[in-house]
Amino acid sequence: MQNDPLKNAESQLRAVASVLELSEKEIKALLRIDKLVKGELSVKMDNGKTKKFKAWRSQHNNAKGPYKGGIRFHPNVTESEVKALSLWMSWKCALAGIPFGGGKGGVIVNPKSLSRRELERLSRAYAKMIYPYIGESKDVPAPDVNTDGAVMAWILDEYEKITKRNEPGAITGKPISLGGSKGRLEATGLGGFFTLNSLVKAMKMKNPTLAVQGVGNVGSFFCRFAYEAGYKIVAVSDSKNMVWNEKGVDIPKALDWKLLNGSFEGFNGGKLFPADSIVGSAADIFVPAALENAIDRDNMGELKAKCILELANGPCTPEAEENLNKKGVVIVPDILANAGGVVVSYFEWAQNISGFYWEEKTIKERLKEIMAKAFDGAWNEWTEIKKIKKDNIPFRMGAYAIAVRRVLEAMRMRGRC
Ligand code: GLU
């Protein structure tokens, strides 16, 4: 069960609980999922037949504010994964200092196998399942793996049709024409780039090379920002291939190629290798930006990088982290590295609620400030804990200590534990 996300989330919480000396009662309260909405979506396919899709929305904890978190459409979604992701959202929001709890949704589906109309019907069916539980002051969904502004627009439209009100703050990651925020699309990648800069500074690295796994929304924007800033990205991969170029991959060219051809197949700006080989590629910083469990017991020995920047959620299993930490690899945890998305979701929600919209410049400045503050806070906390415990615990514990303490404090104030 090394790759069961919920077990991994629990073991991460237990590790920080021992640092913070929490009681079993407190740990249980922190692990409790407030509500799990689940069902089967019936969707009419273009051929007239009806197909069923399993779907979930997990609401972990709302002590600090409405539940917040994305919805993913993926064939490998499981209940355990959705629950784990909702826990991680609680810690992520608390660490960033934004007024939300944690939630997450998922549907077992390969959206690439659906037509546009089928995707719309699936999104609307999902909205019908979760509408009583969401809203700007209840639970605010957003995009995640394989979902985007179009899916958010259908979900919002269905929700507003059913509830007969206009409530743009019920969903974030919307198209700008429906009240979406400037800068939300690229926010996770940009936030990851700001965190990269903080890491390089903290580690006093000189011209580090990067290997980026995954070129979906997060990975591709991250690559563009890092490339434009002059970082050398020696490897980049999608689900099939890795492009390797010692001199640095020309990112705009590689991404354009992928966009036009659907894969890196035939791209001549580097050597092609199987996608999996990216973990062992010779780069200083490895950036997993795809799915969880990218680095586990089976491939942790291959890693050559000195640092990992977790842009995906849960890409390193606790076992891999323990092993790599002993070797001195610094892992910037997901709840810190990929928080840019939910931070700009917060800006979007705040703009919707106030009805006052901000310029892109303001959004980027505020995002930069929040990301830098979160990194510095976690880094200082980590340094302190290492001093007190006289032990080389992972960087994740610095971030978790701050986040979990904040959630616990809010729960105590409410008399919930
Ligand atoms: N899905 C993103 C995450 O995992 C964004 C969530 C949001 O904006 O609510 O952080």
Side-chain angles (χ1 to χ4, degrees), residues 68-70 89 92 104 140 142-144 172 184 313 338 341-342 345:
K68 184 88 195 78
M89 284 309 299
K92 195 185 296 186
K104 201 72 162 205
V140 185
D144 196 79
T172 60
R184 175 62 185 86
N313 286 310
N338 72 24
V342 75
S345 273

Side-chain angles (χ1 to χ4, degrees), residues 250-270:
D250 184 324
I251 291 298
K253 274 197 186 139
L255 294 180
D256 283 353
W257 182 275
K258 159 96 183 155
L259 202 68
L260 278 173
N261 303 286
S263 80
F264 290 124
E265 220 77 55
F267 178 64
N268 65 5

Side-chain angles (χ1 to χ4, degrees), residues 39-170:
E40 251 187 350
L41 311 178
S42 290
V43 180
K44 194 142 186 221
M45 307 307 279
D46 291 344
N47 63 10
K49 292 200 177 122
T50 300
K51 232 177 152 177
K52 297 216 185 275
F53 298 91
K54 277 206 169 115
W56 294 267
R57 179 77 187 167
S58 170
Q59 297 178 327
H60 169 236
N61 185 303
N62 65 352
K64 290 195 68 66
Y67 305 103
K68 184 88 195 78
I71 300 164
R72 65 172 57 181
F73 288 173
H74 195 275
N76 300 340
V77 165
T78 62
E79 187 170 305
S80 154
E81 181 194 50
V82 176
K83 284 180 175 171
L85 288 160
S86 70
L87 256 78
W88 289 330
M89 284 309 299
S90 293
W91 318 142
K92 195 185 296 186
C93 293
L95 177 65
I98 60 175
F100 290 112
K104 201 72 162 205
V107 180
I108 303 183
V109 60
N110 176 7
K112 287 172 194 127
S113 71
L114 301 183
S115 71
R116 196 88 191 137
R117 284 170 168 277
E118 289 167 342
L119 187 63
E120 175 175 351
R121 287 196 288 267
L122 177 83
S123 307
R124 290 188 184 274
Y126 186 74
K128 281 191 187 121
M129 179 181 103
I130 60 164
Y131 89 86
Y133 311 100
I134 64 169
E136 63 181 21
S137 59
K138 279 194 207 168
D139 180 355
V140 185
D144 196 79
V145 175
N146 289 335
T147 55
D148 58 11
V151 171
M152 296 307 115
W154 291 320
I155 294 178
L156 179 70
D157 188 62
E158 195 62 37
Y159 171 77
E160 291 187 333
K161 244 197 251 169
I162 300 170
T163 58
K164 297 190 174 50
R165 57 175 109 106
N166 186 283
E167 194 187 327

Side-chain angles (χ1 to χ4, degrees), residues 199-212:
L199 172 74
V200 169
K201 200 168 144 210
M203 301 270 303
K204 300 188 178 68
M205 295 172 108
K206 289 262 172 303
N207 304 321
T209 54
L210 312 181
V212 183

Side-chain angles (χ1 to χ4, degrees), residues 12 316-326 331 394 396:
Q12 289 162 343
C316 297
T317 65
E319 188 182 358
E321 177 165 62
E322 199 188 324
N323 174 281
L324 295 171
N325 186 56
K326 277 190 196 133
I331 303 176
R396 188 180 313 274

